[in-house]
Amino acid sequence: MAFSFTWFLSIIHDKFRKGRINFENTLELLTKFDIPFDYVHVKYIFKASDTLKTGQISIEDFRGIYRAIAHRCEIHELFKSHSQNSKILQLSELVRFLRNQQFQDDANETTASDLIAKFEPIEEAKRNREMTFEGFLRYMSSEDCTLFKKEHRTVYQDMTRPLCEYFISSSHNTYLISDQLIGPSHLWGYASALMKGCRCLEIDCWDGSNDEPVVYHGHTLTSKISFKTVIQVISKYAFLASDYPVILSLENHCNPKQQEVIADYMKTILGDRLVTSTIDGKMPTELPSPEALKFKIIVKNKKLGTLEETLERMGTDSHGQTGEFEELQTSDEELDDEPSAKEPLLKKRRASWKGAGPPRKKQKMKKVKVALVLSELVIYAKSRKFVSFEDSREKQKFYENHSMSEGKARKAAKAQATEFIQHNIRFITRIYPKGIRTNSSNYNPQEFWNVGCQLVALNFQTPGVQMDLQNGKYLDNGGAGYILKPEFLRHRDTQFNPFSVSGNHSAISLTITLISGHQLPPSNLSRTNKADPLVVVEIYGVPEDQMKQQSCVVKGNALCPRWNQMLSFHVKVPELAIVRFVVEDQLSLTSNDFLGQYTLPLLSMNKGYRHIPLLSKLGVSLSPASLFVHVWYSQQ
């Protein structure tokens, strides 16, 4: 329409009074159009437009740059196919598009009018309640059209169920920001994890000088930070990303005197937010809910005696009192299943260099001293040694939990999947990386979510597929760090087995059409803004649902590659499925380089035409880099 060009000229004419503009002016003008652009791509398009090599371009050159960056052919084709005159979308046409293509069943003229008011930049069209291509383009690249469901960006799940019915975002050795042996311990580890919505932090406490407990990875060369400053940082950052309870998983190696210091610091610094009694002071019969513990901090640690005994002693000063219990130091096979019983990691490393040697004998019982004042702070999360599922059924109390290394948990999941799930319906289980992961690598958390483990702890400092899955899963439910487990992982009579999925599950058929990419990061090997991109779509879930498919390669185009390729998937257990989109640069027939990714739960995906914002390996936004897709899924 004529007023599109008039609108365009009205924005740029001031800059072109002298006839031509330089690169800085070009960037300023693009900003005025409220269209996201990538500096590198604009730089190379500008260079190509500046045929006289003067560092200046004409008004027609700028129009060409704007079209190259903003006027995406695939979106223009979509616009024209839903506009009767190919120039504007009438209100009724926009309503039809929203209902039929974006699957917004409740869309009406008010919905469409709101979108026009929000995204249409041309005043005349806005007054006529019409949407031009400029408005449609801004709508299609907006938050309203992202793949991730808008309603899942806030807390929408039932938060009144017992804690054991939720997956809870959990970190391993939170204080480490590098490897497990010689890397630094840093307060940023806690602040960063909390800002990512992590709700379970690990604190390894050791005796420090001047009766000041320190936090570090014991028996290694990792640096030390004071326990007091750790609690101060937790106090500051605990509830900035989420209102829901934080669990402090203490690995306590301190003498009773310094344990009292630990207890006193937590009480004085955390104040009323620290859980020091049950909600009403009475003995409960099940764990409280995340809703009931909003803005509260729970201590997970070893405990003397029972919760009933603690409640009876309420109001008495237990400073100076200690208790003692015996703990079995297990065989070498289970050495890393109980962090307090592990050997010095550096010694284990050196031993492996010398050769295996004879097998170790089973370790003897050891006595552990616990300060009563610290023990009394353990209310809802008493650590208990795992013996067997049968033992837990008979003897474990609802407020007791246990930690298992990934190795032991993996064996249990494969051998007794249904029993493991039934155990996790009643009790909280924490999984942590095996001790030989000295480089802070991570295991695949999905295999433990599949059996309902709540606290699946990862090394947050190590980027990769595993942390992409972690971050993608916990995007859901408003990033609160608590995800309600599917019904079949919460009902006590469940017979669900992730290794053998029965036919009574609501399987879905998923179709993803990869249409195009937009302003992708250039190849690391390219001196310009080019790449040879391809897209891999990966599904993570129960073993039968693990699959991936990839697109063809588009040669030499990172600015606007087109694939127009349909990928189809059959997903048996969509409630546990996570979808990961990975964009790679093909370096050779056998080697690809990572360009960007985006990961989210399958059931958090919007249907219809959607754009996917890409993230770096570290999870940082690569805006405006994105994919444009069409998604459809339905129950079979």
Side-chain angles (χ1 to χ4, degrees):
M1 290 183 79
F3 53 63
S4 285
F5 188 58
T6 308
W7 161 81
F8 182 80
L9 286 178
S10 72
I11 293 175
I12 68 171
H13 80 277
D14 272 357
K15 287 282 182 191
F16 280 98
R17 278 181 178 164
K18 293 181 181 177
R20 300 174 78 81
I21 62 169
N22 61 20
F23 182 61
E24 284 69 30
N25 294 146
T26 300
L27 295 178
E28 285 170 26
L29 270 186
L30 287 173
T31 305
K32 281 188 176 184
F33 282 97
D34 198 27
I35 286 280
F37 61 86
D38 178 81
Y39 175 89
V40 174
H41 283 298
V42 175
K43 179 179 148 189
Y44 283 101
I45 301 169
F46 181 92
K47 235 178 177 179
S49 305
D50 180 18
T51 50
L52 301 175
K53 308 299 177 199
T54 61
Q56 305 259 312
I57 57 168
S58 69
I59 196 165
E60 276 307 308
D61 294 330
F62 177 80
R63 197 175 175 202
I65 291 174
Y66 176 74
R67 287 186 165 200
I69 291 292
H71 282 200
R72 298 167 59 182
C73 303
E74 65 277 25
I75 295 181
H76 199 215
E77 289 161 14
L78 186 63
F79 175 79
K80 288 195 294 183
S81 69
H82 291 87
S83 164
Q84 194 173 358
N85 65 4
S86 300
K87 292 178 180 177
I88 56 160
L89 280 176
Q90 300 283 358
L91 207 58
S92 58
E93 291 173 326
L94 182 53
V95 171
R96 272 198 301 276
F97 175 78
L98 294 174
R99 284 182 181 169
N100 301 339
Q101 301 301 325
Q102 301 301 73
F103 302 97
Q104 290 178 228
D105 297 334
D106 57 349
N108 54 31
E109 289 200 353
T110 305
T111 317
S113 293
D114 289 345
L115 289 180
I116 291 168
K118 187 174 179 182
F119 296 111
E120 180 53 60
I122 301 171
E123 285 302 323
E124 191 177 339
K126 202 182 277 191
R127 280 195 299 273
N128 296 339
R129 295 170 80 202
E130 299 165 340
M131 185 176 268
T132 66
F133 174 57
E134 293 290 347
F136 188 71
L137 190 68
R138 282 157 179 77
Y139 161 62
M140 293 305 294
S141 343
S142 73
E143 281 283 304
D144 291 51
C145 265
T146 56
L147 183 63
F148 187 69
K149 284 182 179 176
K150 192 175 185 178
E151 56 268 33
H152 288 197
R153 292 176 206 165
T154 53
V155 175
Y156 69 94
Q157 296 177 344
D158 181 358
M159 301 302 280
T160 64
R161 305 298 306 156
L163 286 173
C164 53
E165 295 193 14
Y166 296 84
F167 295 119
I168 304 169
S169 179
S170 306
S171 160
H172 171 250
N173 286 356
T174 316
Y175 48 89
L176 294 178
I177 57 171
S178 183
D179 66 78
Q180 305 281 313
L181 291 178
I182 59 173
S185 303
H186 204 284
L187 295 169
W188 176 243
Y190 289 98
S192 172
L194 287 166
M195 291 301 286
K196 289 174 183 171
C198 181
R199 298 289 88 190
C200 180
L201 310 171
E202 186 173 13
I203 311 177
D204 274 11
C205 311
W206 295 81
D207 290 332
S209 55
N210 304 318
D211 287 328
E212 284 289 336
V214 292
V215 174
Y216 84 114
H217 201 195
H219 307 299
T220 69
L221 302 179
T222 56
S223 60
K224 300 173 182 178
I225 47 181
S226 83
F227 179 83
K228 180 181 181 181
T229 57
V230 167
I231 297 301
Q232 287 171 334
V233 165
I234 291 170
S235 176
K236 181 177 178 181
Y237 289 90
F239 301 108
L240 293 184
S242 169
D243 298 348
Y244 292 95
V246 170
I247 301 167
L248 303 184
S249 181
L250 299 186
E251 288 299 338
N252 175 24
H253 306 275
C254 294
N255 63 45
K257 189 174 181 182
Q258 295 206 23
Q259 288 179 39
E260 292 197 351
V261 175
I262 285 172
D264 289 343
Y265 278 145
M266 288 197 291
K267 284 181 184 175
T268 54
I269 295 167
L270 302 177
D272 291 344
R273 290 173 297 174
L274 184 68
V275 173
T276 57
S277 176
T278 53
I279 290 170
D280 56 4
K282 296 174 184 174
M283 186 63 200
T285 55
E286 63 179 10
L287 288 170
S289 69
E291 189 66 32
L293 291 174
K294 262 183 161 181
F295 302 108
K296 293 292 184 181
I297 296 176
I298 302 163
V299 176
K300 174 184 173 302
N301 195 19
K302 293 185 176 69
K303 181 176 181 64
L304 295 166
T306 65
L307 180 54
E308 290 93 333
E309 290 166 351
T310 293
L311 294 175
E312 286 168 13
R313 286 192 294 265
M314 278 295 157
T316 62
D317 185 8
S318 49
H319 279 83
Q321 298 180 54
T322 61
E324 192 174 80
F325 57 86
E326 286 192 319
E327 182 176 81
L328 181 68
Q329 290 193 345
T330 52
S331 64
D332 183 49
E333 182 180 304
E334 296 178 284
L335 200 64
D336 69 337
D337 286 348
E338 185 63 52
S340 62
K342 62 193 172 193
E343 280 193 356
L345 282 175
L346 287 175
K347 286 186 181 176
K348 281 176 83 173
R349 198 64 153 344
R350 282 198 288 269
S352 68
W353 295 335
K354 294 174 185 174
R360 293 189 190 93
K361 294 176 184 176
K362 284 202 170 185
Q363 296 178 321
K364 298 174 183 177
M365 302 293 282
K366 67 169 184 176
K367 290 183 177 178
V368 178
K369 284 190 174 181
V370 177
L372 189 58
V373 70
L374 179 58
S375 171
E376 302 288 62
L377 295 181
V378 179
I379 304 297
Y380 295 123
K382 176 183 177 180
S383 299
R384 180 186 193 270
K385 179 79 178 163
F386 178 74
V387 178
S388 68
F389 295 130
E390 187 181 5
D391 175 79
S392 291
R393 272 197 307 273
E394 293 174 5
K395 299 175 185 174
Q396 190 165 338
K397 295 179 170 61
F398 70 88
Y399 57 85
E400 293 179 324
N401 63 79
H402 61 261
S403 294
M404 298 172 78
S405 79
E406 57 170 298
K408 189 169 184 177
R410 192 172 289 120
K411 283 180 190 172
K414 286 179 178 173
Q416 299 172 279
T418 304
E419 288 92 330
F420 206 163
I421 289 166
Q422 288 171 342
H423 174 89
N424 288 329
I425 287 168
R426 299 175 62 200
F427 309 113
I428 287 178
T429 302
R430 179 176 178 269
I431 312 297
Y432 60 90
K434 57 190 176 186
I436 61 170
R437 292 186 183 273
T438 53
N439 62 348
S440 296
S441 62
N442 281 313
Y443 53 82
N444 178 359
Q446 186 69 48
E447 57 183 318
F448 304 115
W449 292 330
N450 287 346
V451 289
C453 295
Q454 298 86 348
L455 303 174
V456 180
L458 296 181
N459 292 304
F460 270 45
Q461 73 273 34
T462 307
V465 178
Q466 299 85 359
M467 274 308 294
D468 291 346
L469 294 175
Q470 160 78 19
N471 293 334
K473 185 176 188 69
Y474 287 102
L475 273 179
D476 198 4
N477 204 30
Y482 284 82
I483 307 283
L484 187 65
K485 293 197 280 187
E487 212 171 299
F488 54 81
L489 293 180
R490 294 190 285 126
H491 280 187
R492 294 204 173 194
D493 57 353
T494 186
Q495 291 303 306
F496 177 72
N497 184 333
F499 298 99
S500 176
V501 179
S502 60
N504 59 0
H505 260 276
S506 49
I508 65 164
S509 174
L510 168 67
T511 302
I512 297 171
T513 305
L514 298 168
I515 301 171
S516 64
H518 184 56
Q519 300 191 68
L520 303 180
S523 168
N524 289 326
L525 299 183
S526 173
R527 291 184 180 178
T528 63
N529 64 329
K530 290 186 166 51
D532 296 341
L534 61 97
V535 181
V536 184
V537 179
E538 303 168 342
I539 311 280
Y540 294 84
V542 299
E544 286 179 76
D545 287 343
Q546 298 270 137
M547 61 191 110
K548 67 179 177 180
Q549 295 185 42
Q550 73 176 52
S551 72
C552 57
V553 179
V554 175
K555 291 287 184 183
N557 189 346
L559 176 65
C560 52
R562 293 281 296 269
W563 292 284
N564 291 328
Q565 200 165 344
M566 185 186 288
L567 308 178
S568 297
F569 303 89
H570 173 74
V571 183
K572 281 199 165 185
V573 188
E575 298 93 334
L576 288 172
I578 295 174
V579 185
R580 183 171 182 256
F581 295 83
V582 193
V583 183
E584 296 178 342
D585 175 33
Q586 188 183 61
L587 303 181
S588 68
L589 290 176
T590 56
S591 172
N592 295 339
D593 194 22
F594 175 93
L595 290 180
Q597 67 82 27
Y598 188 75
T599 308
L600 77 169
L602 191 157
L603 296 180
S604 290
M605 292 201 303
N606 273 313
K607 295 176 183 177
Y609 290 96
R610 303 291 166 182
H611 81 265
I612 304 174
L614 293 178
L615 306 175
S616 72
K617 273 184 181 173
L618 295 173
V620 177
S621 170
L622 293 172
S623 179
S626 63
L627 297 176
F628 187 51
V629 300
H630 183 273
V631 173
W632 169 253
Y633 53 91
S634 62
Q635 201 167 324
Q636 291 186 324

